[in-house]
Amino acid sequence: MGKFVARSLMDSRMLDIPFSEAFYKWILGVEGTFTAQDLQHVDPVMARSFAQLAEVAVKKHNLEKDSLLTGKALVLGLENLTMEGGGTIEDLDLDFTLPAYPDIELKHGGKDIPVTIHNLDEYLQLVVDWTLLRGVSAQFSAFKEGFNSIFPISSLQQFYPS
């Protein structure tokens, strides 16, 4: 695919292939700038679910920053955090596997580790990492290798992902 796209570029041919902004970040070598917002360009359904979980994580951080909450009050506040529909993180029965791919563990033993309010931040970070980096790195490396064999990717550095 990389060779095909590079050859088309060299021949000034238009391609009707809707590459995502995340894809362009990979091509330009700025994949280190991926954020949760990039999920929207790859999987809008996952991005919506992710945003709901991220809202709970923000609420958690706000509770932890509240200097008026101490010990038991903080623990109680964290245990009672709910999502927009009223359920808790634990009610979702999530584990540390990639959403929709139960065979892909986000970390060793992930299928046996439930996602809770206490490890939600780690789960969110790993979902972004596996969806946008680790899970597709071999495919992107192959694309870049093929592209670079026809047209130097370094020539694209003047462009921006958006």
Side-chain angles (χ1 to χ4, degrees):
M1 180 74 161
K3 288 181 179 184
F4 173 73
V5 172
R7 175 55 62 191
S8 298
L9 183 64
M10 285 187 61
D11 293 344
S12 299
R13 295 183 188 266
M14 297 293 289
L15 292 177
D16 188 18
I17 302 174
F19 292 127
S20 69
E21 188 172 317
F23 183 83
Y24 288 116
K25 284 185 176 184
W26 261 102
I27 291 173
L28 297 174
V30 292
E31 63 272 12
T33 64
F34 281 139
T35 66
Q37 287 74 28
D38 290 307
L39 287 174
Q40 180 64 37
H41 303 290
V42 176
D43 187 340
V45 174
M46 181 193 290
R48 281 192 297 277
S49 299
F50 188 94
Q52 292 176 351
L53 294 173
E55 284 178 26
V56 175
V58 168
K59 291 177 188 177
K60 174 190 171 203
H61 294 293
N62 289 340
L63 283 176
E64 291 172 336
K65 289 180 188 175
D66 189 343
S67 60
L68 299 176
L69 293 177
T70 59
K72 289 182 182 179
L74 177 59
V75 170
L76 185 61
L78 291 174
E79 289 174 358
N80 289 317
L81 278 177
T82 59
M83 297 187 3
E84 191 174 304
T88 66
I89 296 298
E90 290 78 4
D91 292 339
L92 296 174
D93 198 29
L94 297 171
D95 56 29
F96 274 78
T97 57
L98 192 61
Y101 298 95
D103 293 334
I104 300 176
E105 294 183 333
L106 300 174
K107 66 182 199 175
H108 183 68
K111 65 182 172 204
D112 299 320
I113 302 171
V115 177
T116 67
I117 191 65
H118 303 291
N119 62 14
L120 178 60
D121 290 319
E122 179 185 14
Y123 174 77
L124 293 173
Q125 182 271 321
L126 287 170
V127 166
V128 170
D129 185 50
W130 272 91
T131 303
L132 299 174
L133 289 168
R134 283 194 233 179
V136 294
S137 63
Q139 292 87 346
F140 274 113
S141 294
F143 179 93
K144 287 168 87 171
E145 182 181 322
F147 189 99
N148 214 26
S149 71
I150 303 293
F151 189 87
I153 288 178
S154 60
S155 299
L156 301 176
Q157 294 305 313
Q158 60 191 350
F159 297 103
Y160 298 97
S162 55

